[in-house]
Amino acid sequence: GKSGYEHYMLKEIHEQPTALRQTLSGRVNEQAGTVELEDLDGLAGREPAGVQLVACGTSYHAALYGARMLREQGIPATATIASEYALERPPVADQLVVGVTQSGETADTLSALRTAAQRGAETVAVTNVVGSTAARECDHALYIRAGPEIGVAATKTFSSQLVTLRLLTEHLTNGTTDGIHDRLATLRALPGALQEVLDETQAPAVAEEYVGADGYFFIGRGYNYPVSLEGALKFKEITYEHAEGFPAGELKHGTLALVTNETPVIATVTGNDEAARKTVGNVKEVEARDAPVIAVTDGQTDVARYADHVLEIPDSHPTTAPILANTQLQLFAYHMANELGRAIDKPRNLAKSVTVE
Ligand code: M6R
């Protein structure tokens, strides 16, 4: 049942701290600075020439985040929308091909994995469902362990995918990259930090204020770029309102023409690195055009000065802050959809797993 929550989606958003503890359980050896993934025997420390991630929808956003993380740790990696990958069939020599699919049954992702396997690639399924088609067909199955997700909108499975891709990255580079102790300590702190976001969110009041706008733009850079894509997708899926997510740097290259005082801009700005500071610059540009600004931030830049509302998150590592920020975006979408009386757990025209190409 829904354990007292009005919708499965809200229940599953609140289950994220537990889901992440399960994802991490028994896999991290903080003292040694290593990650052990029982599901990936034979891959540890054997760096592939490259990693190709394939996925659809929300899982594609997780793949973008994972690919960035792999590249940052020195492994060439790409994220490709599965339906395009299956048509294009890129070269796979010495590549590890990773299908990110919570259900393990998405036809496009299965098709991409099959074309890669046929051409000799070693394949991994990153999935939530034991015994799913992807888990059975791939050489390796890496379970995200989020627990059952009933709502069509993916929430806790997305967070668990991000953490699992972090673990996969550490596993492939075991003990060989700087900063591992920091990263592992932040992962341990993540469930507690996420609980803090859930307990203190201002999302219901902020969402209520912006019902009925002309459109909603979600912007971010770096790791917050996939988070912005995900924020917009979730928002469209359950509110039926028009939204667009994109890298903040792209604003000036077209979309800025649509920005008015009727188009709230939701900017995710975490940390105080170059990506964060440049996003603040973009926030100033939309503020100058009278767009309402909602900043999702840990307060490390002065973005709040240019924002009408702030959705706060606690300080965190650059790779975990996006998970906390995304939780605020999930709640923002949820409360807006609830205001609008939408069928949140079963949005029109959509299915939990898409088994046709
Ligand atoms: O089961 P999968 O992870 O392969 O599903 C892929 C997409 O259909 C899925 O992530 C979809 O975009 C979400 N339900 C959106 O919330």
Side-chain angles (χ1 to χ4, degrees), residues 155-236:
T155 53
K156 63 176 179 171
T157 55
F158 178 68
S159 296
S160 285
Q161 282 171 339
L162 298 186
V163 168
T164 304
L165 292 171
R166 158 96 280 158
L167 295 178
L168 175 62
T169 304
E170 303 295 2
H171 183 78
L172 290 175
T173 56
N174 245 350
T176 60
T177 54
D178 291 342
I180 178 131
H181 290 280
D182 273 2
R183 293 194 300 272
L184 296 183
T186 327
L187 280 182
R188 174 170 33 82
L190 180 60
L194 207 151
Q195 188 63 52
E196 223 177 288
V197 172
L198 295 171
D199 292 342
E200 290 168 23
T201 184
Q202 314 84 344
V206 178
E208 197 182 332
E209 191 139 339
Y210 294 103
V211 174
D214 287 350
Y216 302 81
F217 298 117
F218 292 73
I219 62 169
R221 291 181 188 240
Y223 286 109
N224 290 323
Y225 155 45
V227 164
S228 297
L229 295 183
E230 175 59 9
L233 176 62
K234 209 97 311 173
F235 191 87
K236 284 187 274 202

Side-chain angles (χ1 to χ4, degrees), residues 2-304:
K2 290 182 235 167
S3 328
Y5 289 101
E6 208 173 326
H7 298 95
Y8 281 107
M9 182 185 180
L10 190 60
K11 172 175 179 256
E12 288 156 3
I13 289 172
H14 281 266
E15 282 171 348
Q16 289 177 116
T18 306
L20 294 182
R21 284 191 191 97
Q22 289 166 183
T23 304
L24 291 165
S25 173
R27 288 169 159 176
V28 176
N29 184 339
E30 242 186 282
Q31 237 168 2
T34 56
V35 166
E36 281 126 41
L37 297 174
E38 68 293 353
D39 327 274
L40 289 184
D41 271 358
L43 272 180
R46 185 164 61 78
E47 274 193 34
V51 178
Q52 297 175 348
L53 296 123
V54 295
C56 307
T58 291
S59 297
Y60 169 66
H61 303 150
L64 282 172
Y65 168 96
R68 182 184 175 86
M69 200 145 56
L70 284 157
R71 291 194 299 271
E72 220 169 59
Q73 288 184 219
I75 303 180
T78 55
T80 310
I81 290 178
S83 51
E84 291 297 318
Y85 184 101
L87 289 173
E88 184 188 331
R89 298 185 177 88
V92 293
D94 303 317
Q95 298 288 313
L96 187 64
V97 178
V98 178
V100 184
T101 167
Q102 66 81 23
S103 66
E105 303 297 345
T106 300
D108 288 319
T109 308
L110 292 174
S111 165
L113 287 166
R114 285 171 188 151
T115 66
Q118 272 157 18
R119 287 168 305 121
E122 187 168 0
T123 56
V124 179
V126 172
T127 184
N128 198 32
V129 181
V130 176
S132 58
T133 306
R136 282 185 284 109
E137 290 188 6
C138 287
D139 298 311
H140 310 270
L142 175 55
Y143 294 107
I144 67 169
R145 305 180 183 163
E149 189 177 70
I150 309 293
V152 165
T155 53
K156 63 176 179 171
T157 55
F158 178 68
S159 296
S160 285
Q161 282 171 339
L162 298 186
V163 168
T164 304
L165 292 171
R166 158 96 280 158
L167 295 178
L168 175 62
T169 304
E170 303 295 2
H171 183 78
L172 290 175
T173 56
N174 245 350
T176 60
T177 54
D178 291 342
I180 178 131
H181 290 280
D182 273 2
R183 293 194 300 272
L184 296 183
T186 327
L187 280 182
R188 174 170 33 82
L190 180 60
L194 207 151
Q195 188 63 52
E196 223 177 288
V197 172
L198 295 171
D199 292 342
E200 290 168 23
T201 184
Q202 314 84 344
V206 178
E208 197 182 332
E209 191 139 339
Y210 294 103
V211 174
D214 287 350
Y216 302 81
F217 298 117
F218 292 73
I219 62 169
R221 291 181 188 240
Y223 286 109
N224 290 323
Y225 155 45
V227 164
S228 297
L229 295 183
E230 175 59 9
L233 176 62
K234 209 97 311 173
F235 191 87
K236 284 187 274 202
E237 184 179 17
I238 62 169
T239 68
Y240 310 161
E241 295 293 314
H242 186 78
E244 198 181 335
F246 50 91
E250 279 291 289
L251 248 182
K252 292 201 248 328
H253 300 286
T255 312
L256 198 53
L258 294 181
V259 170
T260 69
N261 62 357
E262 293 294 330
T263 59
V265 174
I266 300 92
T268 300
V269 185
T270 61
N272 187 2
D273 57 3
E274 198 185 355
R277 290 192 296 272
K278 286 191 167 167
T279 309
V280 176
N282 299 122
V283 166
K284 289 183 194 167
E285 287 161 2
V286 300
E287 195 236 357
R289 281 153 189 88
D290 295 326
V293 174
I294 301 161
V296 184
T297 185
D298 50 17
Q300 293 195 52
T301 59
D302 64 349
V303 68

